[in-house]
Amino acid sequence: MILSMSRRALTAAVAGLLGLAPGACSAGPPATGPPAPAPASAPASAAAGGLAPAAPAARPSATPRGHGWTGGDIPVFPPAPPPQPITLPADGSVPYLSRIPTTQPVAFLTIDDGYLKSPEAPALLAAAGIPVTLFLTTDAIHDDEPYFARLRDRGAVIEAHTITHTELRGRSYAFQRREICGSADRLGQRYQRRPVLFRPPFGTKDATTLRAAHDCGIKAAFMWKETVHKGKVRYQEGHRVQPGDIILMHFRPAFVRDFLAALRAIHRAGLTPALLEDYVPA
Protein backbone atom coordinates (compact mmCIF):
# COMPACT_ATOMS: atom_id res chain seq x y z
CA MET A 1 0.00 0.00 0.00
CA ILE A 2 1.67 3.21 -1.20
CA LEU A 3 -0.28 5.66 0.91
CA SER A 4 0.54 3.88 4.17
CA MET A 5 4.26 4.35 3.59
CA SER A 6 6.91 5.02 6.19
CA ARG A 7 9.38 7.86 6.04
CA ARG A 8 12.14 7.20 3.51
CA ALA A 9 15.51 7.16 5.06
CA LEU A 10 17.72 9.38 2.85
CA THR A 11 16.31 12.61 4.21
CA ALA A 12 15.09 13.95 7.48
CA ALA A 13 11.81 14.57 5.67
CA VAL A 14 10.23 17.86 4.84
CA ALA A 15 8.50 18.89 4.88
CA GLY A 16 -11.31 17.45 21.94
CA LEU A 17 -13.71 16.79 22.85
CA LEU A 18 -16.89 15.17 21.58
CA GLY A 19 -19.43 17.48 19.95
CA LEU A 20 -18.62 21.17 19.56
CA ALA A 21 -15.20 21.24 21.22
CA PRO A 22 -12.70 23.83 19.89
CA GLY A 23 -11.51 21.24 17.37
CA ALA A 24 -14.99 20.47 16.04
CA CYS A 25 -16.29 21.99 12.82
CA SER A 26 -17.51 25.55 12.80
CA ALA A 27 -20.75 26.45 11.08
CA GLY A 28 -19.03 28.65 8.53
CA PRO A 29 -15.69 30.10 7.50
CA PRO A 30 -13.49 31.14 10.42
CA ALA A 31 -13.17 34.85 11.00
CA THR A 32 -9.38 34.83 10.78
CA GLY A 33 -7.30 34.45 7.62
CA PRO A 34 -6.17 31.24 5.90
CA PRO A 35 -4.37 28.06 7.14
CA ALA A 36 -3.29 24.72 5.12
CA PRO A 37 -2.03 22.17 2.04
CA ALA A 38 0.57 18.34 -3.61
CA PRO A 39 1.76 14.87 -8.08
CA ALA A 40 2.17 10.97 -7.98
CA SER A 41 0.96 7.42 -8.63
CA ALA A 42 -2.21 5.77 -7.36
CA PRO A 43 -2.54 3.38 -4.42
CA ALA A 44 -4.08 0.05 -5.06
CA SER A 45 -6.40 -0.02 -2.11
CA ALA A 46 -7.93 3.40 -1.67
CA ALA A 47 -11.73 3.30 -1.60
CA ALA A 48 -14.35 2.17 -4.03
CA GLY A 49 -15.60 3.96 -7.09
CA GLY A 50 -13.81 6.18 -9.57
CA LEU A 51 -10.09 6.64 -9.81
CA ALA A 52 -7.83 5.91 -6.88
CA PRO A 53 -6.10 8.98 -5.39
CA ALA A 54 -2.46 9.65 -6.08
CA ALA A 55 0.33 8.63 -3.75
CA PRO A 56 2.81 10.98 -2.09
CA ALA A 57 5.54 12.28 -4.38
CA ALA A 58 9.15 11.21 -3.86
CA ARG A 59 10.96 13.18 -1.20
CA PRO A 60 13.51 15.76 -2.26
CA SER A 61 17.20 15.06 -1.72
CA ALA A 62 17.70 18.19 0.40
CA THR A 63 16.16 18.61 3.81
CA PRO A 64 12.81 20.26 3.15
CA ARG A 65 11.52 23.23 5.07
CA GLY A 66 8.74 25.76 5.01
CA HIS A 67 7.33 28.64 7.00
CA GLY A 68 7.27 27.47 10.62
CA TRP A 69 8.62 23.94 10.05
CA THR A 70 11.52 21.87 8.78
CA GLY A 71 11.86 18.21 7.92
CA GLY A 72 13.30 17.62 11.38
CA ASP A 73 9.96 18.55 12.95
CA ILE A 74 8.22 15.57 11.35
CA PRO A 75 8.36 12.27 13.27
CA VAL A 76 9.62 9.15 11.51
CA PHE A 77 7.12 6.26 11.55
CA PRO A 78 7.53 2.54 10.88
CA PRO A 79 5.49 1.09 8.01
CA ALA A 80 1.79 0.60 8.67
CA PRO A 81 0.74 -3.08 8.87
CA PRO A 82 -1.47 -4.65 6.19
CA PRO A 83 -4.97 -3.26 6.88
CA GLN A 84 -7.73 -5.35 8.42
CA PRO A 85 -11.00 -4.00 6.93
CA ILE A 86 -14.05 -3.68 9.15
CA THR A 87 -17.34 -5.49 8.55
CA LEU A 88 -20.08 -3.27 7.16
CA PRO A 89 -23.72 -3.62 8.30
CA ALA A 90 -26.23 -5.15 5.91
CA ASP A 91 -29.30 -3.27 7.16
CA GLY A 92 -29.50 -0.34 4.74
CA SER A 93 -27.48 1.93 7.01
CA VAL A 94 -23.81 2.77 7.51
CA PRO A 95 -21.61 2.41 10.60
CA TYR A 96 -20.82 5.57 12.55
CA LEU A 97 -17.34 5.30 14.03
CA SER A 98 -15.00 7.40 16.15
CA ARG A 99 -12.44 4.61 16.26
CA ILE A 100 -11.70 1.77 13.86
CA PRO A 101 -12.13 -1.46 15.87
CA THR A 102 -8.58 -2.76 15.54
CA THR A 103 -5.67 -3.68 17.75
CA GLN A 104 -3.20 -2.81 15.02
CA PRO A 105 -0.77 0.00 15.96
CA VAL A 106 -2.37 2.59 13.69
CA ALA A 107 -4.24 5.89 13.95
CA PHE A 108 -6.04 7.98 11.33
CA LEU A 109 -5.59 11.69 10.65
CA THR A 110 -8.57 13.51 9.13
CA ILE A 111 -8.87 17.18 8.11
CA ASP A 112 -12.23 18.93 7.74
CA ASP A 113 -14.02 21.72 5.88
CA GLY A 114 -11.63 23.60 3.57
CA TYR A 115 -12.52 27.23 4.27
CA LEU A 116 -8.89 28.24 4.73
CA LYS A 117 -6.15 27.12 2.35
CA SER A 118 -2.72 27.14 3.94
CA PRO A 119 0.11 27.60 1.45
CA GLU A 120 2.23 25.29 3.61
CA ALA A 121 -0.03 22.23 3.37
CA PRO A 122 1.08 20.75 0.01
CA ALA A 123 4.78 20.76 0.88
CA LEU A 124 4.10 19.61 4.45
CA LEU A 125 2.02 16.64 3.29
CA ALA A 126 4.66 15.71 0.74
CA ALA A 127 7.41 15.96 3.36
CA ALA A 128 5.51 13.88 5.92
CA GLY A 129 4.63 11.16 3.42
CA ILE A 130 1.71 9.98 5.55
CA PRO A 131 -1.90 9.29 4.48
CA VAL A 132 -4.65 11.72 5.42
CA THR A 133 -8.38 11.89 4.69
CA LEU A 134 -9.99 15.24 3.82
CA PHE A 135 -13.69 15.66 4.62
CA LEU A 136 -14.50 18.65 2.41
CA THR A 137 -17.53 20.96 2.41
CA THR A 138 -18.25 21.88 -1.21
CA ASP A 139 -19.33 25.46 -0.41
CA ALA A 140 -16.07 25.92 1.50
CA ILE A 141 -13.78 24.87 -1.35
CA HIS A 142 -15.49 26.37 -4.39
CA ASP A 143 -13.24 29.45 -4.42
CA ASP A 144 -10.09 27.33 -4.96
CA GLU A 145 -10.88 23.74 -5.91
CA PRO A 146 -7.46 23.18 -7.59
CA TYR A 147 -5.82 23.69 -4.18
CA PHE A 148 -7.31 20.41 -2.95
CA ALA A 149 -6.27 18.62 -6.13
CA ARG A 150 -2.70 19.52 -5.14
CA LEU A 151 -3.25 17.92 -1.73
CA ARG A 152 -4.74 14.86 -3.38
CA ASP A 153 -1.66 14.63 -5.60
CA ARG A 154 0.44 14.53 -2.45
CA GLY A 155 -1.43 11.59 -0.99
CA ALA A 156 -4.62 12.97 0.57
CA VAL A 157 -7.94 11.22 -0.11
CA ILE A 158 -11.03 13.42 -0.56
CA GLU A 159 -14.32 12.48 1.12
CA ALA A 160 -17.69 14.17 1.70
CA HIS A 161 -18.77 16.67 4.39
CA THR A 162 -22.05 18.09 2.93
CA ILE A 163 -22.66 21.08 0.65
CA THR A 164 -23.36 23.84 3.18
CA HIS A 165 -22.00 22.51 6.49
CA THR A 166 -25.43 22.61 8.11
CA GLU A 167 -26.47 20.39 10.99
CA LEU A 168 -28.31 17.35 9.62
CA ARG A 169 -29.80 15.85 12.75
CA GLY A 170 -33.58 16.27 12.83
CA ARG A 171 -33.88 17.33 9.19
CA SER A 172 -35.96 15.49 6.60
CA TYR A 173 -34.65 12.56 4.59
CA ALA A 174 -34.87 14.63 1.39
CA PHE A 175 -32.85 17.48 2.92
CA GLN A 176 -30.16 15.19 4.30
CA ARG A 177 -29.91 13.18 1.10
CA ARG A 178 -29.51 16.37 -0.94
CA GLU A 179 -26.67 17.59 1.30
CA ILE A 180 -24.84 14.25 1.30
CA CYS A 181 -25.42 13.10 -2.29
CA GLY A 182 -24.89 16.60 -3.64
CA SER A 183 -21.51 16.98 -1.99
CA ALA A 184 -20.36 13.50 -3.04
CA ASP A 185 -21.49 14.11 -6.63
CA ARG A 186 -19.67 17.45 -6.86
CA LEU A 187 -16.46 16.13 -5.34
CA GLY A 188 -16.57 13.12 -7.64
CA GLN A 189 -16.92 15.33 -10.70
CA ARG A 190 -14.14 17.67 -9.62
CA TYR A 191 -11.59 15.14 -8.36
CA GLN A 192 -12.34 12.07 -10.51
CA ARG A 193 -13.27 9.85 -7.57
CA ARG A 194 -16.64 9.89 -5.85
CA PRO A 195 -16.38 9.86 -2.03
CA VAL A 196 -17.37 6.70 -0.17
CA LEU A 197 -16.83 8.05 3.37
CA PHE A 198 -18.73 10.84 5.12
CA ARG A 199 -18.52 13.03 8.19
CA PRO A 200 -21.65 14.92 9.28
CA PRO A 201 -21.00 18.55 10.27
CA PHE A 202 -20.39 18.96 14.01
CA GLY A 203 -20.39 15.16 14.30
CA THR A 204 -24.15 15.19 14.85
CA LYS A 205 -26.46 12.73 13.09
CA ASP A 206 -29.59 10.63 13.47
CA ALA A 207 -30.89 7.41 11.94
CA THR A 208 -32.05 9.38 8.89
CA THR A 209 -28.50 10.65 8.34
CA LEU A 210 -27.11 7.14 8.21
CA ARG A 211 -29.89 5.90 5.93
CA ALA A 212 -29.47 8.84 3.55
CA ALA A 213 -25.69 8.33 3.54
CA HIS A 214 -26.17 4.68 2.63
CA ASP A 215 -28.53 5.62 -0.18
CA CYS A 216 -25.94 8.09 -1.48
CA GLY A 217 -23.37 5.30 -1.85
CA ILE A 218 -21.50 6.05 1.39
CA LYS A 219 -19.84 3.06 3.08
CA ALA A 220 -19.16 4.53 6.54
CA ALA A 221 -19.55 7.77 8.52
CA PHE A 222 -17.10 9.10 11.09
CA MET A 223 -16.83 10.99 14.35
CA TRP A 224 -13.44 11.32 16.13
CA LYS A 225 -11.60 10.52 19.36
CA GLU A 226 -9.12 13.40 19.43
CA THR A 227 -9.24 16.98 18.17
CA VAL A 228 -6.32 19.30 17.42
CA HIS A 229 -6.62 23.09 17.73
CA LYS A 230 -3.89 25.74 17.98
CA GLY A 231 -1.25 23.06 18.28
CA LYS A 232 -2.90 21.28 21.21
CA VAL A 233 -4.34 17.76 21.11
CA ARG A 234 -7.48 17.20 23.17
CA TYR A 235 -8.48 13.68 24.16
CA GLN A 236 -11.90 12.20 24.81
CA GLU A 237 -10.38 9.27 26.70
CA GLY A 238 -7.17 9.35 28.70
CA HIS A 239 -4.09 11.23 27.52
CA ARG A 240 -2.86 9.09 24.66
CA VAL A 241 -3.94 8.18 21.16
CA GLN A 242 -5.27 4.61 21.14
CA PRO A 243 -5.00 2.04 18.31
CA GLY A 244 -7.66 2.76 15.71
CA ASP A 245 -8.37 6.32 16.92
CA ILE A 246 -9.59 8.89 14.41
CA ILE A 247 -8.04 12.35 14.89
CA LEU A 248 -9.78 15.52 13.74
CA MET A 249 -8.15 18.78 12.68
CA HIS A 250 -9.25 21.57 10.32
CA PHE A 251 -7.98 23.88 7.63
CA ARG A 252 -7.32 26.73 10.06
CA PRO A 253 -4.63 29.39 10.62
CA ALA A 254 -2.63 27.03 12.87
CA PHE A 255 -2.55 24.28 10.22
CA VAL A 256 1.20 23.66 10.51
CA ARG A 257 1.14 23.51 14.32
CA ASP A 258 -1.94 21.30 14.31
CA PHE A 259 -0.57 18.89 11.72
CA LEU A 260 2.73 18.48 13.55
CA ALA A 261 1.00 18.14 16.94
CA ALA A 262 -1.19 15.35 15.56
CA LEU A 263 1.82 13.49 14.15
CA ARG A 264 3.74 13.83 17.41
CA ALA A 265 0.77 12.50 19.41
CA ILE A 266 0.54 9.48 17.11
CA HIS A 267 4.29 8.92 17.38
CA ARG A 268 4.33 9.22 21.19
CA ALA A 269 1.68 6.52 21.35
CA GLY A 270 3.86 4.14 19.34
CA LEU A 271 1.41 4.17 16.42
CA THR A 272 1.70 4.78 12.69
CA PRO A 273 -0.63 6.90 10.53
CA ALA A 274 -2.74 4.68 8.28
CA LEU A 275 -5.28 5.33 5.55
CA LEU A 276 -8.89 5.30 6.74
CA GLU A 277 -10.15 4.16 3.35
CA ASP A 278 -8.05 0.97 3.57
CA TYR A 279 -10.12 -0.16 6.55
CA VAL A 280 -13.50 0.21 4.83
CA PRO A 281 -14.40 -2.58 2.37
CA ALA A 282 -14.94 -1.42 -1.20
Side-chain angles (χ1 to χ4, degrees), residues 127-160:
I130 60 107
V132 300
T133 297
L134 312 182
F135 288 102
L136 299 181
T137 303
T138 56
D139 278 1
I141 69 169
H142 71 87
D143 59 330
D144 192 359
E145 291 181 335
Y147 171 88
F148 298 96
R150 302 208 310 274
L151 299 187
R152 176 204 60 194
D153 292 342
R154 282 154 177 77
V157 181
I158 293 173
E159 304 291 2

Side-chain angles (χ1 to χ4, degrees), residues 70-145:
T70 70
D73 294 320
I74 302 171
V76 176
F77 296 98
Q84 298 174 348
I86 64 174
T87 299
L88 296 176
D91 61 356
S93 184
V94 299
Y96 185 61
L97 303 169
S98 56
R99 173 184 288 143
I100 292 292
T102 183
T103 58
Q104 292 186 306
V106 295
F108 305 93
L109 180 56
T110 66
I111 311 176
D112 276 16
D113 297 350
Y115 291 106
L116 300 181
K117 290 122 184 118
S118 165
E120 293 297 322
L124 190 54
L125 259 62
I130 60 107
V132 300
T133 297
L134 312 182
F135 288 102
L136 299 181
T137 303
T138 56
D139 278 1
I141 69 169
H142 71 87
D143 59 330
D144 192 359
E145 291 181 335

Side-chain angles (χ1 to χ4, degrees), residues 138-218:
T138 56
D139 278 1
I141 69 169
H142 71 87
D143 59 330
D144 192 359
E145 291 181 335
Y147 171 88
F148 298 96
R150 302 208 310 274
L151 299 187
R152 176 204 60 194
D153 292 342
R154 282 154 177 77
V157 181
I158 293 173
E159 304 291 2
H161 195 42
T162 73
I163 299 171
T164 64
H165 204 285
T166 187
E167 182 165 354
L168 297 178
R169 182 175 54 191
R171 306 300 292 266
S172 70
Y173 172 83
F175 179 91
Q176 296 201 44
R177 180 177 175 124
R178 183 165 59 250
E179 284 281 340
I180 299 168
C181 290
S183 65
D185 290 345
R186 173 59 186 162
L187 294 170
Q189 292 164 3
R190 182 62 183 84
Y191 301 109
Q192 294 77 54
R193 173 190 168 275
R194 192 176 188 276
V196 295
L197 306 184
F198 173 67
R199 173 170 282 148
F202 316 106
T204 57
K205 52 81 185 172
D206 56 20
T208 301
T209 311
L210 301 184
R211 182 164 59 92
H214 174 272
D215 295 347
C216 288
I218 298 297

